[in-house]
Amino acid sequence: MLNDKIEEALNAQFNAELYSSYLYLSMAAYYHSANLAGFAHWMRIQAQEELFHAMKFYDFINERGGRVTLKPIEGPPTDWESPNAPLEHTYQHEIKVTGLINELVNLAVEEKDHATNNFLQWFVKEQVEEEASASGALQKLKLSGDAGNGLFMLDNELGSRIPLFTFPVKSSN
Ligand code: FEO
């Protein structure tokens, strides 16, 4: 059973993961409008992963006898000043999310909720990868410059990122 403080904090993180998904989908839309289909593809997968994170919180809250509550999701930015900017924003955002996960772990320890602490350790590890992935893409973009051949080559590379899952294709019947 979850205590009220933990239930509220897990629901807040559920909402934060949905916001992350919304943010990255907004970045995908920005890249689509800039004709950078590979960058857009990378961001769509990023958005998909955040939805997966959100659903992990959803399932855990339910499993522990808590109540999932859906709150409004903040509107993300819709425009960025250059192809570099969303990746820089992604990296900074992931650092912020790491801080939120760490605060949740601190709360679980304070409340002596070992099951929640154990659940959160998956996210502690995941955040190391999330920061590294965003930082890696950003570094490559800085090396290639944000115009010309380098940008085109990186667009091709980012376009090969493998999705977590594929959505069903609409039937032709
Ligand atoms: Fe759910 Fe990118 O952290």
Side-chain angles (χ1 to χ4, degrees), residues 16-29 31 37-55 86-95 97-98 122-123 126-138 158-165 167:
E17 300 291 344
L18 289 173
Y19 172 76
S20 294
S21 184
Y22 218 36
L23 173 66
Y24 295 142
L25 202 53
S26 184
M27 291 179 183
Y31 281 129
F39 283 83
H41 170 82
W42 194 91
M43 281 299 175
R44 275 184 74 146
I45 295 173
Q46 198 69 9
Q48 200 183 51
E49 288 195 352
E50 299 302 344
L51 198 52
F52 175 69
H53 294 170
M55 293 314 292
L87 281 176
E88 181 69 50
H89 189 164
T90 298
Y91 181 49
Q92 294 306 326
H93 183 69
E94 289 304 332
I95 290 172
V97 173
T98 299
W122 185 90
F123 285 91
E126 176 73 359
Q127 281 310 120
V128 175
E129 285 173 29
E130 290 277 270
E131 284 187 29
S133 157
S135 165
L138 181 62
L158 295 181
S160 66
R161 186 176 181 186
I162 311 285
L164 269 187
F165 52 84
F167 289 103

Coordinates of all heavy atoms in Angstrom, one line a residue, residues 16-29 31 37-55 86-95 97-98 122-123 126-138 158-165 167:
A16 N 4.9 14.3 -15.1 CA 6.1 14.8 -15.7 C 6.6 14.0 -16.8 O 7.2 14.5 -17.8 CB 7.2 14.9 -14.6
E17 N 6.4 12.7 -16.8 CA 6.8 11.8 -17.9 C 5.9 12.1 -19.1 O 6.4 12.1 -20.3 CB 6.8 10.3 -17.5 CG 7.7 9.9 -16.3 CD 9.2 10.0 -16.6 OE1 9.5 10.0 -17.8 OE2 9.9 10.0 -15.7
L18 N 4.6 12.3 -18.9 CA 3.7 12.6 -20.0 C 4.2 14.0 -20.6 O 4.2 14.1 -21.8 CB 2.3 12.7 -19.5 CG 1.7 11.3 -19.1 CD1 0.3 11.6 -18.5 CD2 1.5 10.4 -20.4
Y19 N 4.6 14.9 -19.8 CA 5.0 16.2 -20.3 C 6.3 16.0 -21.1 O 6.4 16.6 -22.2 CB 5.3 17.2 -19.1 CG 6.0 18.5 -19.7 CD1 5.3 19.4 -20.4 CD2 7.4 18.6 -19.6 CE1 5.9 20.5 -20.9 CE2 8.0 19.7 -20.2 CZ 7.2 20.7 -20.8 OH 7.8 21.8 -21.4
S20 N 7.2 15.1 -20.7 CA 8.4 14.9 -21.5 C 8.0 14.3 -22.8 O 8.6 14.7 -23.9 CB 9.3 13.9 -20.8 OG 9.8 14.4 -19.5
S21 N 7.1 13.4 -22.9 CA 6.6 12.9 -24.1 C 6.1 14.0 -25.0 O 6.4 14.0 -26.2 CB 5.6 11.8 -23.9 OG 5.2 11.2 -25.1
Y22 N 5.3 14.8 -24.4 CA 4.7 15.9 -25.2 C 5.7 16.9 -25.7 O 5.7 17.4 -26.8 CB 3.8 16.7 -24.2 CG 2.5 17.2 -24.7 CD1 1.7 16.5 -25.7 CD2 1.9 18.4 -24.2 CE1 0.5 17.0 -26.1 CE2 0.7 18.9 -24.6 CZ 0.0 18.2 -25.6 OH -1.2 18.7 -26.0
L23 N 6.7 17.2 -24.9 CA 7.8 18.1 -25.2 C 8.6 17.5 -26.5 O 8.9 18.2 -27.4 CB 8.8 18.2 -24.1 CG 10.1 19.0 -24.3 CD1 9.8 20.5 -24.6 CD2 11.0 18.9 -23.1
Y24 N 8.9 16.2 -26.4 CA 9.7 15.6 -27.5 C 8.9 15.5 -28.8 O 9.4 15.6 -29.9 CB 10.3 14.3 -27.1 CG 11.3 14.4 -25.9 CD1 11.4 13.5 -24.9 CD2 12.2 15.5 -25.9 CE1 12.4 13.7 -23.9 CE2 13.1 15.7 -24.9 CZ 13.2 14.8 -23.9 OH 14.1 15.0 -22.8
L25 N 7.6 15.3 -28.6 CA 6.8 15.2 -29.8 C 6.7 16.6 -30.5 O 6.7 16.8 -31.7 CB 5.3 14.7 -29.4 CG 4.5 14.1 -30.6 CD1 5.2 13.0 -31.3 CD2 3.2 13.6 -30.0
S26 N 6.7 17.7 -29.6 CA 6.7 19.0 -30.1 C 8.1 19.3 -30.9 O 8.1 19.9 -31.9 CB 6.6 20.0 -29.0 OG 6.5 21.3 -29.5
M27 N 9.1 18.7 -30.4 CA 10.4 18.9 -31.0 C 10.4 18.1 -32.4 O 11.0 18.6 -33.4 CB 11.6 18.4 -30.2 CG 11.8 19.2 -28.9 SD 13.1 18.5 -27.9 CE 13.2 19.7 -26.5
A28 N 9.8 16.9 -32.4 CA 9.6 16.2 -33.6 C 8.9 17.0 -34.7 O 9.3 17.1 -35.8 CB 8.9 14.9 -33.4
A29 N 7.8 17.7 -34.2 CA 7.0 18.5 -35.2 C 7.9 19.6 -35.7 O 7.8 20.0 -36.9 CB 5.8 19.0 -34.5
Y31 N 11.2 19.6 -36.1 CA 12.1 19.1 -37.1 C 11.5 18.7 -38.4 O 12.0 18.9 -39.5 CB 12.9 17.9 -36.5 CG 14.0 18.3 -35.5 CD1 14.1 17.7 -34.2 CD2 15.0 19.2 -35.9 CE1 15.2 18.1 -33.4 CE2 16.1 19.5 -35.1 CZ 16.1 19.0 -33.8 OH 17.2 19.3 -33.0
A37 N 13.9 15.0 -41.4 CA 13.1 13.8 -41.1 C 13.8 12.9 -40.1 O 13.2 12.2 -39.3 CB 12.7 13.1 -42.3
G38 N 15.2 12.8 -40.2 CA 15.9 11.9 -39.3 C 15.9 12.4 -37.8 O 15.6 11.7 -36.9
F39 N 16.0 13.7 -37.7 CA 15.9 14.3 -36.3 C 14.5 14.1 -35.8 O 14.3 13.8 -34.6 CB 16.2 15.8 -36.4 CG 17.7 16.2 -36.5 CD1 18.3 16.2 -37.7 CD2 18.4 16.5 -35.4 CE1 19.7 16.5 -37.8 CE2 19.8 16.9 -35.5 CZ 20.4 16.9 -36.7
A40 N 13.5 14.3 -36.7 CA 12.1 14.2 -36.3 C 11.9 12.7 -35.8 O 11.2 12.5 -34.8 CB 11.2 14.5 -37.4
H41 N 12.4 11.8 -36.5 CA 12.3 10.4 -36.2 C 12.9 10.1 -34.8 O 12.3 9.4 -34.0 CB 12.9 9.5 -37.3 CG 13.1 8.1 -37.0 ND1 12.0 7.2 -37.2 CD2 14.1 7.3 -36.5 CE1 12.4 6.0 -36.8 NE2 13.7 6.0 -36.4
W42 N 14.1 10.6 -34.6 CA 14.8 10.4 -33.3 C 13.9 11.0 -32.2 O 13.7 10.3 -31.1 CB 16.1 11.1 -33.4 CG 17.1 10.8 -32.3 CD1 18.0 9.8 -32.3 CD2 17.2 11.4 -31.0 NE1 18.7 9.7 -31.2 CE2 18.3 10.7 -30.3 CE3 16.6 12.5 -30.4 CZ2 18.7 11.1 -29.1 CZ3 17.0 12.8 -29.1 CH2 18.1 12.2 -28.4
M43 N 13.3 12.1 -32.4 CA 12.5 12.8 -31.3 C 11.2 12.0 -31.1 O 10.7 11.9 -30.0 CB 12.2 14.2 -31.7 CG 13.3 15.2 -31.4 SD 13.8 15.2 -29.6 CE 15.2 16.2 -29.7
R44 N 10.6 11.4 -32.2 CA 9.4 10.6 -32.0 C 9.7 9.4 -31.2 O 8.9 9.0 -30.3 CB 8.9 10.2 -33.4 CG 8.0 11.2 -34.1 CD 7.5 10.6 -35.4 NE 6.4 9.7 -35.1 CZ 5.3 9.5 -35.9 NH1 5.2 10.3 -37.0 NH2 4.4 8.7 -35.6
I45 N 10.8 8.8 -31.3 CA 11.2 7.7 -30.5 C 11.4 8.1 -29.1 O 11.0 7.4 -28.1 CB 12.4 6.9 -31.1 CG1 12.0 6.3 -32.4 CG2 12.9 5.8 -30.1 CD1 13.1 5.7 -33.2
Q46 N 12.0 9.3 -28.9 CA 12.2 9.9 -27.6 C 10.8 10.0 -26.9 O 10.7 9.7 -25.7 CB 12.9 11.2 -27.8 CG 13.6 11.8 -26.6 CD 14.8 11.1 -26.1 OE1 15.3 10.2 -26.8 NE2 15.3 11.5 -25.0
A47 N 9.9 10.5 -27.6 CA 8.5 10.7 -27.1 C 7.9 9.4 -26.7 O 7.2 9.3 -25.7 CB 7.6 11.5 -28.1
Q48 N 8.1 8.4 -27.5 CA 7.6 7.1 -27.3 C 8.2 6.5 -26.0 O 7.5 5.9 -25.2 CB 8.0 6.2 -28.5 CG 7.2 4.9 -28.7 CD 7.8 4.2 -29.9 OE1 9.0 3.9 -29.9 NE2 7.0 3.8 -30.8
E49 N 9.5 6.7 -25.8 CA 10.1 6.2 -24.6 C 9.5 6.8 -23.3 O 9.4 6.2 -22.3 CB 11.6 6.4 -24.6 CG 12.3 5.5 -25.6 CD 13.8 5.4 -25.5 OE1 14.4 6.2 -24.7 OE2 14.4 4.5 -26.1
E50 N 9.2 8.1 -23.4 CA 8.7 8.8 -22.3 C 7.3 8.3 -21.9 O 6.9 8.2 -20.8 CB 8.6 10.4 -22.5 CG 10.0 11.0 -22.7 CD 11.0 10.8 -21.6 OE1 10.5 10.4 -20.5 OE2 12.2 11.0 -21.8
L51 N 6.5 8.0 -23.0 CA 5.2 7.4 -22.7 C 5.3 6.0 -22.0 O 4.6 5.7 -21.1 CB 4.5 7.2 -24.1 CG 3.0 7.0 -24.1 CD1 2.3 8.1 -23.3 CD2 2.5 7.0 -25.6
F52 N 6.4 5.3 -22.4 CA 6.7 4.0 -21.8 C 7.0 4.3 -20.3 O 6.5 3.6 -19.4 CB 7.8 3.4 -22.5 CG 8.3 2.1 -21.9 CD1 7.6 0.9 -21.9 CD2 9.6 2.1 -21.4 CE1 8.1 -0.2 -21.3 CE2 10.1 0.9 -20.8 CZ 9.3 -0.3 -20.8
H53 N 7.8 5.3 -20.0 CA 8.2 5.6 -18.6 C 6.9 6.0 -17.9 O 6.7 5.5 -16.7 CB 9.1 6.8 -18.6 CG 10.5 6.6 -19.2 ND1 11.4 7.6 -19.4 CD2 11.1 5.5 -19.6 CE1 12.5 7.1 -19.9 NE2 12.3 5.8 -20.0
A54 N 6.0 6.8 -18.5 CA 4.8 7.2 -17.8 C 4.0 6.0 -17.4 O 3.5 5.9 -16.3 CB 4.0 8.2 -18.7
M55 N 3.9 5.0 -18.4 CA 3.0 3.9 -18.1 C 3.6 2.9 -17.0 O 2.9 2.2 -16.4 CB 2.8 3.1 -19.4 CG 1.9 3.9 -20.4 SD 0.4 4.6 -19.6 CE -0.5 3.2 -19.2
P86 N 16.8 22.2 -29.9 CA 16.0 21.2 -29.3 C 16.9 20.1 -28.6 O 16.5 19.6 -27.5 CB 15.2 20.6 -30.4 CG 15.1 21.6 -31.4 CD 16.4 22.4 -31.3
L87 N 18.0 19.8 -29.2 CA 18.9 18.8 -28.6 C 19.5 19.3 -27.3 O 19.7 18.6 -26.3 CB 20.0 18.3 -29.6 CG 19.5 17.3 -30.6 CD1 20.6 17.0 -31.6 CD2 19.0 16.0 -30.0
E88 N 19.9 20.6 -27.3 CA 20.5 21.2 -26.1 C 19.4 21.2 -25.0 O 19.6 20.9 -23.9 CB 20.9 22.7 -26.4 CG 21.5 23.4 -25.2 CD 22.8 22.9 -24.8 OE1 23.7 22.8 -25.7 OE2 23.0 22.6 -23.6
H89 N 18.1 21.6 -25.5 CA 17.0 21.6 -24.5 C 16.8 20.2 -24.0 O 16.5 20.0 -22.8 CB 15.8 22.1 -25.3 CG 14.6 22.4 -24.5 ND1 13.5 23.1 -24.9 CD2 14.2 22.0 -23.2 CE1 12.6 23.2 -24.0 NE2 13.0 22.5 -22.9
T90 N 16.9 19.1 -24.8 CA 16.7 17.7 -24.4 C 17.7 17.4 -23.3 O 17.3 16.8 -22.3 CB 16.8 16.8 -25.6 OG1 15.9 17.1 -26.6 CG2 16.7 15.3 -25.3
Y91 N 18.9 17.7 -23.6 CA 20.0 17.4 -22.6 C 19.7 18.0 -21.2 O 19.7 17.4 -20.2 CB 21.3 17.8 -23.1 CG 22.5 17.5 -22.2 CD1 22.6 16.2 -21.7 CD2 23.4 18.5 -21.9 CE1 23.7 15.9 -20.8 CE2 24.5 18.2 -21.1 CZ 24.6 16.9 -20.5 OH 25.6 16.6 -19.7
Q92 N 19.3 19.3 -21.3 CA 19.0 20.1 -20.0 C 17.8 19.5 -19.4 O 17.7 19.4 -18.1 CB 18.8 21.6 -20.3 CG 20.1 22.3 -20.8 CD 21.3 22.1 -19.8 OE1 21.1 22.0 -18.6 NE2 22.5 22.0 -20.4
H93 N 16.8 19.1 -20.2 CA 15.6 18.5 -19.6 C 15.8 17.2 -18.9 O 15.3 17.0 -17.8 CB 14.5 18.4 -20.8 CG 13.2 17.9 -20.3 ND1 12.4 18.6 -19.5 CD2 12.6 16.7 -20.4 CE1 11.3 17.9 -19.2 NE2 11.4 16.7 -19.7
E94 N 16.7 16.4 -19.5 CA 17.0 15.1 -18.9 C 17.8 15.3 -17.6 O 17.6 14.5 -16.6 CB 17.8 14.2 -19.9 CG 16.9 13.7 -21.0 CD 15.7 12.9 -20.6 OE1 15.7 12.3 -19.5 OE2 14.7 12.9 -21.3
I95 N 18.6 16.3 -17.5 CA 19.3 16.6 -16.2 C 18.3 16.9 -15.2 O 18.3 16.5 -14.0 CB 20.3 17.7 -16.4 CG1 21.5 17.2 -17.3 CG2 20.8 18.2 -15.1 CD1 22.5 18.3 -17.7
V97 N 15.1 16.0 -15.1 CA 14.3 14.8 -14.8 C 15.1 13.9 -13.8 O 14.6 13.3 -12.9 CB 13.9 14.0 -16.1 CG1 13.3 12.6 -15.7 CG2 13.0 14.8 -16.9
T98 N 16.4 13.8 -14.0 CA 17.3 13.0 -13.1 C 17.1 13.6 -11.7 O 17.0 12.8 -10.7 CB 18.8 13.1 -13.6 OG1 18.9 12.6 -14.9 CG2 19.7 12.4 -12.6
W122 N 15.2 1.4 -11.3 CA 15.2 1.3 -12.8 C 15.4 2.6 -13.4 O 16.1 2.8 -14.4 CB 13.9 0.6 -13.2 CG 13.8 0.3 -14.7 CD1 14.3 -0.8 -15.3 CD2 13.4 1.2 -15.8 NE1 14.1 -0.7 -16.7 CE2 13.6 0.5 -17.0 CE3 12.9 2.5 -15.8 CZ2 13.3 1.1 -18.2 CZ3 12.6 3.1 -17.0 CH2 12.8 2.4 -18.2
F123 N 14.7 3.7 -12.9 CA 14.7 5.0 -13.4 C 16.1 5.7 -13.2 O 16.6 6.5 -14.0 CB 13.6 5.9 -12.9 CG 12.3 5.5 -13.5 CD1 11.4 4.5 -12.9 CD2 11.8 6.1 -14.7 CE1 10.2 4.2 -13.5 CE2 10.6 5.7 -15.3 CZ 9.8 4.8 -14.7
E126 N 18.1 4.3 -15.9 CA 17.6 4.8 -17.2 C 18.1 6.2 -17.4 O 18.4 6.6 -18.5 CB 16.1 4.7 -17.2 CG 15.4 5.3 -18.4 CD 15.6 4.4 -19.7 OE1 16.3 3.4 -19.6 OE2 15.1 4.8 -20.7
Q127 N 18.1 7.0 -16.3 CA 18.5 8.4 -16.5 C 20.0 8.6 -16.9 O 20.3 9.6 -17.6 CB 18.2 9.3 -15.2 CG 16.7 9.6 -15.1 CD 16.1 10.3 -16.3 OE1 15.2 9.8 -16.9 NE2 16.7 11.4 -16.8
V128 N 20.8 7.6 -16.5 CA 22.2 7.7 -17.0 C 22.2 7.6 -18.5 O 22.9 8.3 -19.2 CB 23.0 6.6 -16.3 CG1 24.5 6.5 -16.9 CG2 23.1 6.8 -14.8
E129 N 21.4 6.6 -19.0 CA 21.3 6.4 -20.5 C 20.7 7.6 -21.1 O 21.1 8.0 -22.2 CB 20.5 5.2 -20.8 CG 21.3 3.9 -20.5 CD 20.4 2.6 -20.7 OE1 19.5 2.7 -21.5 OE2 20.7 1.6 -20.0
E130 N 19.6 8.1 -20.5 CA 18.9 9.3 -21.1 C 19.8 10.5 -21.3 O 19.8 11.1 -22.3 CB 17.7 9.6 -20.3 CG 16.6 8.6 -20.3 CD 15.7 8.8 -21.5 OE1 14.7 9.5 -21.4 OE2 16.0 8.1 -22.5
E131 N 20.6 10.8 -20.3 CA 21.5 11.9 -20.4 C 22.6 11.6 -21.4 O 23.0 12.5 -22.2 CB 22.2 12.2 -19.0 CG 21.2 12.9 -18.0 CD 21.9 13.3 -16.8 OE1 23.2 13.6 -16.8 OE2 21.3 13.4 -15.7
A132 N 23.1 10.4 -21.4 CA 24.2 10.1 -22.4 C 23.7 10.1 -23.8 O 24.4 10.6 -24.7 CB 24.8 8.7 -22.0
S133 N 22.5 9.6 -24.0 CA 22.0 9.6 -25.4 C 21.7 11.1 -25.9 O 22.1 11.4 -27.0 CB 20.7 8.8 -25.3 OG 19.8 9.1 -26.4
A134 N 21.2 11.9 -25.1 CA 20.9 13.3 -25.5 C 22.3 14.0 -25.7 O 22.5 14.8 -26.7 CB 20.1 14.0 -24.4
S135 N 23.2 13.8 -24.8 CA 24.5 14.5 -24.9 C 25.3 14.0 -26.1 O 25.9 14.8 -26.8 CB 25.3 14.2 -23.6 OG 26.6 14.5 -23.7
G136 N 25.2 12.7 -26.4 CA 25.9 12.1 -27.6 C 25.4 12.8 -28.9 O 26.2 13.2 -29.7
A137 N 24.0 12.9 -29.0 CA 23.5 13.4 -30.2 C 23.9 14.9 -30.3 O 24.2 15.4 -31.4 CB 21.9 13.3 -30.2
L138 N 23.8 15.6 -29.2 CA 24.2 17.0 -29.2 C 25.7 17.2 -29.6 O 26.0 18.1 -30.4 CB 23.9 17.6 -27.8 CG 24.2 19.1 -27.6 CD1 23.3 19.9 -28.5 CD2 24.0 19.5 -26.2
L158 N 20.5 9.8 -37.4 CA 19.5 9.8 -36.4 C 18.2 9.1 -36.9 O 17.4 8.6 -36.1 CB 19.1 11.3 -36.0 CG 20.3 12.0 -35.2 CD1 19.8 13.4 -34.9 CD2 20.8 11.3 -34.0
G159 N 18.0 9.1 -38.2 CA 16.9 8.4 -38.8 C 16.9 6.9 -38.7 O 15.9 6.3 -38.9
S160 N 18.1 6.4 -38.2 CA 18.1 4.9 -38.1 C 17.9 4.4 -36.7 O 18.0 3.2 -36.4 CB 19.5 4.4 -38.6 OG 20.5 4.9 -37.7
R161 N 17.5 5.3 -35.8 CA 17.2 4.9 -34.4 C 16.1 3.9 -34.4 O 15.1 4.1 -35.1 CB 16.9 6.1 -33.5 CG 16.7 5.8 -32.1 CD 16.5 7.1 -31.2 NE 16.4 6.7 -29.8 CZ 16.1 7.6 -28.9 NH1 15.9 8.9 -29.2 NH2 16.0 7.3 -27.6
I162 N 16.2 2.8 -33.7 CA 15.2 1.8 -33.6 C 14.1 2.1 -32.6 O 14.4 2.4 -31.5 CB 15.8 0.4 -33.2 CG1 17.1 0.1 -34.0 CG2 14.8 -0.7 -33.3 CD1 16.9 -0.3 -35.4
P163 N 12.8 2.1 -33.1 CA 11.7 2.4 -32.1 C 11.5 1.3 -31.1 O 11.9 0.2 -31.3 CB 10.5 2.4 -33.0 CG 10.9 2.3 -34.4 CD 12.3 1.8 -34.4
L164 N 11.0 1.7 -29.9 CA 10.7 0.7 -28.9 C 9.6 -0.3 -29.4 O 9.7 -1.4 -29.1 CB 10.0 1.4 -27.7 CG 10.9 2.0 -26.6 CD1 10.0 2.5 -25.5 CD2 11.8 0.9 -26.1
F165 N 8.6 0.2 -30.1 CA 7.6 -0.6 -30.7 C 7.0 0.2 -31.9 O 7.2 1.4 -32.0 CB 6.5 -0.9 -29.7 CG 5.9 0.3 -28.9 CD1 4.9 1.1 -29.5 CD2 6.4 0.7 -27.7 CE1 4.4 2.2 -28.8 CE2 5.9 1.8 -27.0 CZ 4.9 2.5 -27.6
F167 N 3.6 1.3 -34.0 CA 2.1 1.4 -33.9 C 1.5 0.6 -35.1 O 2.1 0.5 -36.1 CB 1.7 2.9 -34.0 CG 2.0 3.6 -32.8 CD1 3.1 4.5 -32.7 CD2 1.3 3.5 -31.6 CE1 3.4 5.2 -31.6 CE2 1.6 4.2 -30.4 CZ 2.7 5.0 -30.4

